[in-house]
Amino acid sequence: MSYVASYEVAMCKFLFATGIGAVPAYRKWRCSGNFVPRTEPCENKWPGVSCDENNYITGIHLNGAGMRGYIPSDVGMMTELKYIDVSHNSLWGSIPEAIGMLNQLEYFDVSYNDFNTGLPDQLGNLPSLKYFMAVDSKLNGTVPAALGNLAMLKGLALTNNMLAGRIPNDLGDLSELIFLDMSGNRMSGTLPVALGALTGCVVFDVSDNKLTGTFPASFFAMTKLRMLNTAGTDIGGHRPKLMPTTGMIDLKDDQFDILIPNPV
């Protein structure tokens, strides 16, 4: 089986696992029972699929697509993927460990789903990942220390889940991080001193957790902070100064534009 055929088989397994083919807007997604596409995904412009000039699938854009099912491990065969957005669906099960095979993946959004499981350590194997969004996805367990391996990561949003335990010291290695939102979980302990190394961080939100203690002295080196939210925690003491800002915080780079509300 050729590389492209393996890629297409993976797309068909994704179709059957998520139920996307049953959604009227995505009827172009057609595969046989042997996981062979009846139409070529790129040439026939399957909705929600983006491709490069060589007809390799580089993006899955299925925000709010009405999927009901799970993400199959075969997604790891789609090694040209740079963008996955499967947010606002009804996906359950787990985020497959095979996701760690996607070396070119830059954006991964699984927000607003029903996973009821933990985050796999293999997420830390994504050298190109810039944004990982998993908001309100019923995730539990602890935050993997392996996320500290994501040298290119700019945004991490794990908001409103059931994540518990301590914040890993390893997150202090995320030297490119611009925003970190772990609010609305069950994180405990104190703020790690190592997080003070996030000197480029603009948004830091750990509100509504079981955190205690005070701000480590290292946090006062985070001079680019525009939002620091610890409401609903027992973190006290002197707070780092913030850069002045009003309205929405607009975090842009060459590919993505993310707006974050600035709490008053």
Side-chain angles (χ1 to χ4, degrees), residues 99-100 102-103 105-108 119-133 143-158 170-178 180 198:
I99 207 77
L102 302 180
N103 291 334
L105 190 64
E106 298 180 4
Y107 185 96
F108 188 33
L119 293 168
D121 288 340
Q122 288 76 9
L123 284 169
N125 297 339
L126 300 171
S128 302
L129 193 65
K130 294 182 179 180
Y131 295 96
F132 177 50
M133 324 292 279
V143 176
L147 294 184
N149 297 331
L150 301 173
M152 301 296 292
L153 197 69
K154 295 185 176 183
L156 176 62
L158 302 176
D170 305 73
L171 297 189
D173 294 331
L174 300 174
S175 59
E176 298 296 318
L177 202 68
I178 297 173
L180 172 66
L198 304 177

Side-chain angles (χ1 to χ4, degrees), residues 145 148 166-174 190-198:
R166 292 180 174 271
I167 299 174
N169 291 326
D170 305 73
L171 297 189
D173 294 331
L174 300 174
T190 58
L191 292 172
V193 173
L195 294 189
L198 304 177

